[in-house]
Amino acid sequence: MQNKEVHLKKLINNPEMVVREELEGVALAHGDLVKVNYDPNFVYRADAPTQGKVAVISGGGSGHEPMHGGFVGYSMLDAACPGAVFTSPTPDQMYEAAKKVDGGAGVLYIVKNYTGDVMNFEMAADLLKAEDIPVESVLVDDDVAVQNSTWTAGRRGVGTTVLMEKIVGGAAEAGYSLEKLAELARKVNANGRSMGMALTSCTVPHVGKPTFELGEDEMEIGIGIHGEPGRTRMKLQSADQIVEMLVEPIVADLPFKGGDNVLAFVNSMGGTPLVELYIVYRKMAEILKGKGINITRNLVGPYITSLEMAGASITLLKLDDEMTKFWDAPVQTPGLRWGR
Amino acid sequence: MQNKEVHLKKLINNPEMVVREELEGVALAHGDLVKVNYDPNFVYRADAPTQGKVAVISGGGSGHEPMHGGFVGYSMLDAACPGAVFTSPTPDQMYEAAKKVDGGAGVLYIVKNYTGDVMNFEMAADLLKAEDIPVESVLVDDDVAVQNSTWTAGRRGVGTTVLMEKIVGGAAEAGYSLEKLAELARKVNANGRSMGMALTSCTVPHVGKPTFELGEDEMEIGIGIHGEPGRTRMKLQSADQIVEMLVEPIVADLPFKGGDNVLAFVNSMGGTPLVELYIVYRKMAEILKGKGINITRNLVGPYITSLEMAGASITLLKLDDEMTKFWDAPVQTPGLRWGR
Amino acid sequence: MAVDRQQVVQWIQAYAAAIRENRDYLTQLDAAIGDADHGANMDRGFQAVLGKLPTVADKDIGAILKTVGMTLVSTVGGAGGPLYGTLFMQAGQAEAGKTEMTDQDVVALFEAALKGVIVRGKAEPGDKTMVDTLTPAVNALKEAVDGGAPLDEALKQAMTAAEEGMKGTIPLVARKGRASYLGERSAGHQDPGATSSYLLVKTAAETL
Amino acid sequence: MAVDRQQVVQWIQAYAAAIRENRDYLTQLDAAIGDADHGANMDRGFQAVLGKLPTVADKDIGAILKTVGMTLVSTVGGAGGPLYGTLFMQAGQAEAGKTEMTDQDVVALFEAALKGVIVRGKAEPGDKTMVDTLTPAVNALKEAVDGGAPLDEALKQAMTAAEEGMKGTIPLVARKGRASYLGERSAGHQDPGATSSYLLVKTAAETL
Ligand SMILES: Nc1ncnc2c1ncn2[C@@H]1O[C@H](COP(=O)(O)OP(=O)(O)O)[C@@H](O)[C@H]1O
Ligand SMILES: Nc1ncnc2c1ncn2[C@@H]1O[C@H](COP(=O)(O)OP(=O)(O)O)[C@@H](O)[C@H]1O
Ligand SMILES: [Mg+2]
Ligand SMILES: [Mg+2]
Ligand SMILES: [Mg+2]
Ligand SMILES: [Mg+2]
């Protein structure tokens, strides 16, 4: 590695070793909370399996940290399966992870709606079913930037995933059955909507050049978390104008209505610092207030990222008592923690 | 604002309004934990003052979020005073903040060692003293990139500040007197050492162009959190080589020795995502292990940033039982939270 | 003339070589309408397959193809992994226990392969996927063999049909996979999976 | 000839105008060896001062100068805020209650101002700060007034000394403030604070 010419503005050694070395770092830093299995790669709770508890497992391409590995721990995920950067993980990862953390009450797979993720999780579920291990898969497809339709791949799964992992993890910890848990997870998905935007592209380490080109004065509205194109590319606008372009389609889609209680999640795509997220939050809160929508819970920070991409996304989740209760439940993971 | 041409890849409205609008966002998002006073600007605990508790107050230029405003809350800061971006706050901020949160047991100012910060806090302290309010100021000057000497401005205050705010905040919550608290704070500073590096520059909103120029294949070792020049500018290297260049001077400086227990803090300068921080952590842990230094606590993430600058810093703090105890104490702030 | 297991191994090796050779091209195609990883993903998978082949070269054709499939499943990732993995696993299923294949067995292999892809991905012809290459190829192969053509001739016709199918994806609007997010913007680009599937048929024509 | 409070107000106004005019220049100097904000900081402060001046123009000179100082302290920030704030507050202290100043009063004003800067910043001549401008200027002023020169002549000499002091900071290695982090690399650049201090003396020579 010492001789390889370094040409990316990234703190990495070998582009091919990024995920492996990151996992080693996670294991070293958070050994009290999680363990890491290599080949196949997955992060799992240090105290797994929890007997009698449904095992909640998620996964997806790497590059979205802290999601998913950072959300393994008490009251959230039992295991997370990281693929190569921006590439879905393989069935052996999800299968072996399930075998490791299964506490005898079944397995819930949380799957973001990308063709690759869906098929790989499906193959893993087939393997579990062949061994009579009860398994349910729940899709997240909350991105309003993509027009939904039954004859395409459908909407992408984005910000609601983070909220689902927390809420469902809390309910699993509280003893929900697999069936009830899957029902809750689908309710979260049904009530969550997101949209993101990018100010800059990002560079996948092993690709070595930006995923897409964006002019010095341009931005992409409706960006996907792998740099997929959005709804429109346009000239840069003020934060307030951008927030409007994100919030209005989200609100119109569900639709969110006056009197609704929502969890408002303002997320950084990775390269956008906190100070800007609060400027986004400010305008979002103003718009929602104008519509009579109450923000009763919130989350602000980089939780579902796209490497170093600059930009932000907004997720709104319409809450009820059940979702609120499990959002509030104590959680202890490397990436999200409160109450213990 | 609508008509002003937007030319920065930032989610902002008006460069002159960044701090104000960010504070409004913070107030909206975290009203359960903190309140914001405007003109003079400071963030303070929603339940302030805590009678009989020493008030811990910090402050500095904006652009380092979550530091300091994100660290206001239970068991950390009572108030934080944000200046303009990268510009130290003014005495009226620290004075008014102290008046607001003083619980009758005195005020501890945590000051990063920059001429401007030192003098502005000093003037605020003079105002308090004139009113017979007991006040102690503690300097943080932990940056080993800058050669220390008594006839210069001395070392800069960087990563140890975050750790000090947590540890001292915990001790204040536990009832430490002002005198004991100042002593503990000075112990933290005496045992903490940091060094950072930048892969890219950052752009102060009201300046509108990068703080410094860095070639496509260059990095700056020993960077300051306001983009101050470091020890050397050189060609990009692998993460492992960079970590060596940061860890070795830190260890040599205190010096940290075999058998020492340390809190290891790997920090993002803002634009560098978590995945890279774990690659940094991995190598840092390897080097420290080789020296027989035990990492008994850690922190990984963007906690003391420089806007969207890409890069990272490492802070090591030699722990004893007292520091460990107050590091572990429950904390509830927007930016750091555990145990409640 | 029967096809023996050594030829099957040669086919896989030839395909692995073709993928390596076209790695950047496939990735480039994927960059236009996907996420620029199809070449890298497939290459990673087939390099792993090459490593596994010697350990199964003396097994039956079904076992060889299944091993290829399982290796792909666990190394490729993305959509390509399950699709090509299932393709080879189903092909292996169809040839279970065989150490030689008749021409009709070869037809059965490709039919099972295509069916596997369709069951896994639920794509139809016209969705701008590998199905657009494989469907006409399998049809041409079956028609030619059923019509009495020798296998090498039949595979050549399959290859021609595959190439047409591949090129036919250019004007299509994607309705499956990552490219579908682009909507109308996906038209005008050749589908990367359709392209890698063409290479699969082409190398079959060269080796079986 | 006595200096009245109207002249003092004119001085402050002239200085505010000079800062505005040199805003970018000061910032540019600070970019080279500091953090590129000295011009913006000082301008923000003096714009605030201009807003405050009408409310104190009929107070005594001490009160006017103190108000300038306190306004600067709460609006400039950085190192410049406390330094220039203290400068004017101490100057105001020296002129407390006065509505006119004798030549010796003007000397006392500048002596107090310099002393305030030194107490606040603990810099010595040669550290590459505003002290390098103010020290020779105050010395020249005092010498000239003590030697019997008329005030305008004495202030002109102070201005010349200030300019020399300012230019003298170019070869110096900074030992105070942000520029000191640069070590040897700070040599070869004129200090921004020394430059803004020169403008202070220059506008005094033009108005008092
Ligand atoms: N549902 C599907 N059915 C058949 N083929 C598909 C389907 N979805 C995607 N594909 C094929 O997969 C190819 C992309 O593969 P690859 O790039 O490896 O996966 P990913 O899209 O996950 O990055 C597409 O070009 C297309 O031919
Ligand atoms: N200790 C000090 N004593 C006197 N002047 C100082 C001292 N430190 C800095 N200065 C002056 O302050 C100027 C910088 O002011 P400014 O840019 O407003 O503050 P900051 O350095 O905090 O950004 C320097 O050019 C120098 O003349
Ligand atoms: Mg992919
Ligand atoms: Mg400054
Ligand atoms: Mg792809
Ligand atoms: Mg400055």
Side-chain angles (χ1 to χ4, degrees):
Chain A
M1 288 315 89
Q2 309 286 104
N3 301 321
K4 202 157 187 171
E5 213 189 312
V6 184
H7 66 288
L8 292 176
K9 294 247 164 170
K10 289 178 185 291
L11 290 164
I12 61 174
N13 294 301
N14 177 345
E16 307 295 334
M17 294 294 284
V18 163
V19 173
R20 170 73 189 214
E21 294 185 354
E22 184 231 342
L23 290 175
E24 291 178 9
V26 167
L28 286 163
H30 306 297
D32 52 330
L33 297 177
V34 303
K35 290 205 172 83
V36 176
N37 189 85
Y38 302 101
D39 303 315
N41 290 344
F42 57 89
V43 180
Y44 61 104
R45 267 170 74 163
D47 59 354
T50 309
Q51 289 307 329
K53 185 183 95 66
V54 175
V56 182
I57 299 178
S58 189
S62 291
H64 309 300
E65 292 70 21
M67 186 184 86
H68 301 277
F71 299 144
V72 175
Y74 177 81
S75 204
M76 214 162 164
L77 300 179
D78 292 273
C81 305
V85 173
F86 289 3
T87 296
S88 52
T90 55
D92 52 323
Q93 294 177 258
M94 282 73 86
Y95 169 73
E96 293 291 348
K99 299 282 283 186
K100 181 71 102 185
V101 303
D102 175 25
V107 173
L108 184 81
Y109 282 148
I110 295 180
V111 187
K112 297 189 300 305
N113 188 36
Y114 300 94
T115 305
D117 292 55
V118 170
M119 292 193 295
N120 282 287
F121 270 93
E122 192 178 279
M123 294 187 84
D126 287 350
L127 293 172
L128 292 184
K129 280 175 197 153
E131 297 184 21
D132 289 327
I133 297 174
V135 57
E136 285 271 1
S137 294
V138 175
L139 282 186
V140 188
D141 60 347
D142 60 321
D143 190 344
V144 305
V146 172
Q147 294 307 318
N148 204 358
S149 99
T150 43
W151 63 86
T152 69
R155 285 179 165 179
R156 307 174 295 213
V158 287
T160 300
T161 317
V162 176
L163 312 182
M164 185 189 289
E165 291 177 2
K166 170 67 186 83
I167 290 169
V168 164
E173 206 70 53
Y176 266 44
S177 69
L178 179 56
E179 199 192 331
K180 272 186 70 183
L181 206 59
E183 196 181 301
L184 172 61
R186 291 189 182 106
K187 183 168 77 176
V188 173
N189 185 52
N191 286 283
R193 294 293 186 275
S194 301
M195 189 146 136
M197 60 80 56
L199 292 164
T200 69
S201 183
C202 56
T203 299
V204 175
H206 60 260
V207 175
K209 51 176 200 257
T211 301
F212 57 98
E213 296 295 336
L214 203 53
E216 269 308 300
D217 57 348
E218 285 181 330
M219 61 178 178
E220 179 88 25
I221 300 286
I223 193 82
I225 57 170
H226 312 93
E228 300 96 333
R231 288 193 169 191
T232 31
R233 178 164 299 194
M234 50 164 64
K235 295 274 172 233
L236 292 170
Q237 307 275 321
S238 72
D240 284 358
Q241 290 168 312
I242 291 168
V243 171
E244 265 175 41
M245 286 187 269
L246 299 182
V247 172
E248 294 296 350
I250 290 171
V251 169
D253 192 273
L254 191 66
F256 293 87
K257 300 206 202 77
D260 283 353
N261 291 335
V262 300
L263 192 168
F265 170 26
V266 176
N267 175 63
S268 166
M269 304 305 280
T272 286
L274 208 46
V275 52
E276 296 174 39
L277 296 188
Y278 282 114
I279 293 174
V280 168
Y281 190 96
R282 172 184 166 277
K283 181 66 182 180
M284 176 195 68
E286 181 190 305
I287 295 173
L288 294 181
K289 194 175 178 191
K291 296 180 189 295
I293 298 167
N294 312 312
I295 304 177
T296 54
R297 296 292 184 275
N298 65 58
L299 185 67
V300 183
Y303 291 101
I304 167 173
T305 60
S306 302
L307 297 169
E308 75 285 0
M309 183 189 286
S313 68
I314 290 176
T315 298
L316 297 182
L317 171 64
K318 183 174 160 181
L319 289 170
D320 61 11
D321 289 347
E322 186 187 31
M323 290 187 266
T324 306
K325 173 175 151 196
F326 293 120
W327 174 258
D328 287 346
V331 60
Q332 187 173 4
T333 72
L336 206 64
R337 187 171 171 187
W338 53 74
R340 64 177 258 161
Chain B
M1 288 315 90
Q2 309 285 104
N3 300 321
K4 203 156 187 171
E5 212 189 314
V6 184
H7 67 290
L8 292 176
K9 292 246 163 169
K10 290 178 185 287
L11 291 164
I12 62 174
N13 293 301
N14 177 346
E16 306 295 332
M17 294 295 285
V18 164
V19 173
R20 171 71 188 217
E21 294 184 353
E22 183 231 343
L23 290 175
E24 290 178 8
V26 167
L28 286 164
H30 306 297
D32 51 333
L33 297 177
V34 303
K35 291 206 172 85
V36 176
N37 189 83
Y38 303 102
D39 303 315
N41 291 345
F42 57 90
V43 180
Y44 62 105
R45 270 171 72 164
D47 59 354
T50 310
Q51 288 306 329
K53 186 182 97 62
V54 175
V56 181
I57 299 177
S58 189
S62 290
H64 310 299
E65 292 69 23
M67 187 184 87
H68 302 275
F71 299 144
V72 175
Y74 177 81
S75 204
M76 214 159 164
L77 299 179
D78 292 273
C81 306
V85 174
F86 289 2
T87 295
S88 51
T90 54
D92 51 323
Q93 294 177 257
M94 282 75 87
Y95 169 73
E96 294 291 348
K99 299 282 285 186
K100 181 72 99 183
V101 302
D102 176 25
V107 173
L108 184 80
Y109 282 149
I110 295 179
V111 187
K112 297 191 298 306
N113 189 36
Y114 300 94
T115 304
D117 291 56
V118 170
M119 290 191 298
N120 282 288
F121 270 93
E122 192 178 280
M123 293 186 84
D126 287 349
L127 293 172
L128 293 183
K129 279 175 198 157
E131 297 183 20
D132 290 325
I133 296 175
V135 55
E136 284 271 0
S137 295
V138 175
L139 282 187
V140 189
D141 60 347
D142 60 322
D143 189 344
V144 305
V146 172
Q147 294 307 318
N148 203 358
S149 100
T150 42
W151 63 86
T152 69
R155 287 180 161 175
R156 305 174 296 214
V158 287
T160 300
T161 316
V162 176
L163 312 182
M164 184 188 290
E165 291 177 1
K166 168 67 184 82
I167 290 169
V168 164
E173 207 71 53
Y176 267 43
S177 69
L178 179 56
E179 200 191 333
K180 272 187 72 185
L181 206 59
E183 198 182 300
L184 171 61
R186 291 190 182 106
K187 183 168 75 178
V188 172
N189 185 53
N191 286 282
R193 293 291 186 277
S194 301
M195 189 146 136
M197 60 81 56
L199 291 164
T200 68
S201 182
C202 56
T203 299
V204 175
H206 59 261
V207 176
K209 51 177 200 257
T211 302
F212 57 99
E213 296 295 335
L214 204 51
E216 269 308 300
D217 57 348
E218 284 181 329
M219 61 179 178
E220 179 90 25
I221 300 286
I223 194 81
I225 57 170
H226 312 91
E228 301 95 331
R231 287 193 170 191
T232 32
R233 179 163 297 194
M234 50 163 65
K235 295 274 172 231
L236 292 170
Q237 309 273 319
S238 72
D240 285 359
Q241 290 169 311
I242 291 168
V243 172
E244 265 176 41
M245 286 187 270
L246 299 182
V247 172
E248 294 296 348
I250 290 171
V251 169
D253 192 275
L254 191 68
F256 293 88
K257 299 205 202 76
D260 283 353
N261 292 333
V262 301
L263 191 169
F265 170 27
V266 175
N267 174 64
S268 166
M269 303 305 281
T272 286
L274 209 46
V275 52
E276 297 174 38
L277 296 188
Y278 283 114
I279 292 174
V280 167
Y281 190 94
R282 173 185 166 276
K283 181 65 181 177
M284 176 195 68
E286 182 191 305
I287 296 174
L288 294 181
K289 194 176 178 191
K291 296 180 189 292
I293 298 168
N294 312 310
I295 304 179
T296 54
R297 296 293 184 279
N298 65 57
L299 185 67
V300 183
Y303 291 102
I304 167 172
T305 60
S306 301
L307 297 169
E308 75 285 0
M309 183 189 288
S313 67
I314 291 177
T315 298
L316 297 181
L317 171 63
K318 184 175 160 182
L319 289 170
D320 61 11
D321 289 347
E322 186 188 31
M323 288 187 267
T324 305
K325 174 175 152 196
F326 293 121
W327 175 257
D328 288 345
V331 60
Q332 187 174 1
T333 72
L336 205 64
R337 185 169 173 188
W338 55 74
R340 63 177 262 162
Chain C
M1 280 253 310
V3 173
D4 64 17
R5 56 190 171 188
Q6 207 186 319
Q7 280 171 286
V8 171
V9 169
Q10 280 163 0
W11 173 35
I12 305 300
Q13 288 169 332
Y15 187 47
I19 289 292
R20 167 127 297 194
E21 200 178 316
N22 289 279
R23 181 192 149 115
D24 290 349
Y25 174 54
L26 293 171
T27 289
Q28 216 175 293
L29 291 175
D30 198 27
I33 56 169
D35 58 353
D37 63 1
H38 189 58
N41 291 350
M42 292 292 282
D43 186 44
R44 183 173 57 243
F46 275 93
Q47 291 305 309
V49 165
L50 288 183
K52 275 274 171 65
L53 275 184
T55 69
V56 292
D58 59 348
K59 298 261 167 66
D60 64 78
I61 293 173
I64 293 169
L65 293 172
K66 264 197 202 164
T67 301
V68 171
M70 282 167 59
T71 305
L72 293 177
V73 161
S74 65
T75 55
V76 174
L83 288 166
Y84 277 97
T86 304
L87 183 156
F88 279 101
M89 289 198 296
Q90 291 303 315
Q93 189 74 32
E95 307 304 324
K98 305 217 164 113
T99 52
E100 281 194 348
M101 296 188 290
T102 63
D103 292 0
Q104 281 297 345
D105 285 340
V106 174
V107 171
L109 184 159
F110 275 96
E111 282 183 328
L114 172 58
K115 192 158 166 248
V117 170
I118 290 171
V119 167
R120 180 61 65 205
K122 295 168 193 74
E124 292 169 16
D127 283 355
K128 199 181 181 100
T129 70
M130 36 196 292
V131 169
D132 292 317
T133 296
L134 294 174
T135 303
V138 172
N139 289 344
L141 177 68
K142 188 177 164 53
E143 222 165 274
V145 169
D146 286 353
L151 185 62
D152 56 351
E153 183 50 41
L155 279 167
K156 242 171 233 142
Q157 288 179 27
M159 183 179 105
T160 306
E163 189 173 2
E164 275 167 25
M166 169 183 82
K167 288 188 175 152
T169 63
I170 297 178
L172 296 175
V173 171
R175 283 193 300 246
K176 279 280 178 289
R178 205 171 279 287
S180 71
Y181 301 136
L182 282 169
E184 302 292 330
R185 286 194 265 171
S186 63
H189 300 275
Q190 184 169 307
D191 181 61
T195 310
S196 55
S197 286
Y198 162 69
L199 296 173
L200 182 70
V201 181
K202 180 169 181 276
T203 49
E206 286 160 2
T207 52
L208 302 187
Chain D
M1 279 253 314
V3 172
D4 64 18
R5 56 192 173 188
Q6 205 186 321
Q7 280 171 285
V8 170
V9 169
Q10 281 163 0
W11 173 35
I12 305 301
Q13 288 169 333
Y15 187 46
I19 288 291
R20 169 126 292 195
E21 198 178 316
N22 289 279
R23 184 192 147 115
D24 291 348
Y25 174 55
L26 291 172
T27 288
Q28 213 174 294
L29 291 176
D30 198 26
I33 55 169
D35 58 352
D37 64 0
H38 188 59
N41 291 350
M42 291 291 285
D43 186 44
R44 182 174 58 243
F46 275 93
Q47 290 306 309
V49 165
L50 288 182
K52 275 274 171 66
L53 274 183
T55 68
V56 290
D58 60 348
K59 298 260 164 67
D60 65 79
I61 293 172
I64 293 169
L65 292 173
K66 265 198 204 166
T67 300
V68 171
M70 282 169 59
T71 305
L72 293 177
V73 160
S74 65
T75 55
V76 175
L83 288 166
Y84 277 99
T86 305
L87 183 156
F88 280 101
M89 288 198 295
Q90 290 303 315
Q93 190 73 33
E95 307 304 323
K98 304 217 164 110
T99 50
E100 282 195 348
M101 295 188 288
T102 65
D103 293 1
Q104 280 300 345
D105 285 338
V106 174
V107 172
L109 183 160
F110 276 94
E111 282 182 326
L114 171 59
K115 193 156 164 252
V117 170
I118 290 172
V119 166
R120 181 59 64 203
K122 295 170 195 70
E124 290 170 16
D127 284 355
K128 197 178 182 104
T129 70
M130 36 196 294
V131 169
D132 292 317
T133 296
L134 294 174
T135 304
V138 173
N139 288 343
L141 177 68
K142 186 177 164 54
E143 223 166 275
V145 169
D146 285 352
L151 184 63
D152 57 351
E153 183 51 39
L155 278 168
K156 242 172 232 142
Q157 287 179 28
M159 182 180 109
T160 306
E163 188 173 4
E164 274 167 26
M166 169 184 83
K167 289 188 174 152
T169 62
I170 297 178
L172 295 176
V173 171
R175 284 194 299 246
K176 279 279 179 291
R178 205 170 279 285
S180 72
Y181 302 136
L182 282 169
E184 303 292 331
R185 286 194 265 170
S186 62
H189 301 276
Q190 183 169 309
D191 180 63
T195 310
S196 56
S197 285
Y198 161 69
L199 295 172
L200 182 70
V201 180
K202 180 168 180 278
T203 49
E206 288 161 2
T207 52
L208 300 188

